[in-house]
Amino acid sequence: MELFEAIATTRAMRRLDASRDVSDEDVLTIVEAATKAATGGNAQPVRWMVVRDADKRARIGDVYRECWQSVRGFYASQEQTPTSARMLGSADHLGEHMGEAPVLILPCSKGQPGQAESSVFPGVQN
């Protein structure tokens, strides 16, 4: 696939198939791609935590659900179009099922709040 086609057709994936395993090779490929992203000042402050343990993934899913619920009302209170209603439903689904994913890859960064995050975003996009 050509680069600009990949950029133009990339979409958020919020519905996960928890029954499909993710191989170590696929996880390594994903993390390797993430490490190739640009970082501010080439500081490389991002590390990637791979979580396979089911109990830990479930607990992370609980935290994700709570965080989503804390901001969901804002999005739900906006005027709903068919597109935004579909996205809200999809985000609700992810909020309920994040902890069921077969593997979670969490970006971690060190640095000053408000600055370090900008070095995480490109890696997550990759």
Side-chain angles (χ1 to χ4, degrees):
M1 177 180 290
E2 193 266 332
L3 173 65
F4 291 109
E5 179 184 357
I7 291 170
T9 59
T10 298
R11 61 189 182 100
M13 300 302 298
R14 296 184 183 98
R15 295 194 182 267
L16 310 171
D17 185 350
S19 68
R20 292 181 63 188
D21 191 31
V22 179
S23 72
D24 288 343
E25 181 180 348
D26 286 343
V27 170
L28 184 59
T29 298
I30 292 165
V31 172
E32 180 71 18
T35 65
K36 301 302 182 204
T39 60
N42 199 28
Q44 309 284 322
V46 187
R47 301 296 180 264
W48 304 92
M49 182 184 305
V50 176
V51 182
R52 286 194 175 276
D53 180 88
D55 291 334
K56 290 177 182 172
R57 287 183 284 118
R59 290 192 337 227
I60 292 167
D62 291 342
V63 171
Y64 187 89
R65 182 182 313 103
E66 288 176 32
C67 291
W68 168 240
Q69 288 302 319
S70 74
V71 298
R72 184 192 186 280
F74 169 78
Y75 294 103
S77 71
Q78 305 300 305
E79 181 179 340
Q80 296 294 304
T81 66
T83 299
S84 63
R86 189 174 67 246
M87 287 190 314
L88 182 61
S90 183
D92 284 339
H93 179 84
L94 182 62
E96 290 299 318
H97 298 281
M98 172 67 83
E100 299 169 16
V103 63
L104 296 175
I105 303 173
L106 306 176
C108 304
S109 181
K110 61 181 179 178
Q112 297 297 317
Q115 294 176 346
E117 297 90 338
S118 62
S119 289
V120 172
F121 303 146
V124 170
Q125 178 67 38
N126 277 10

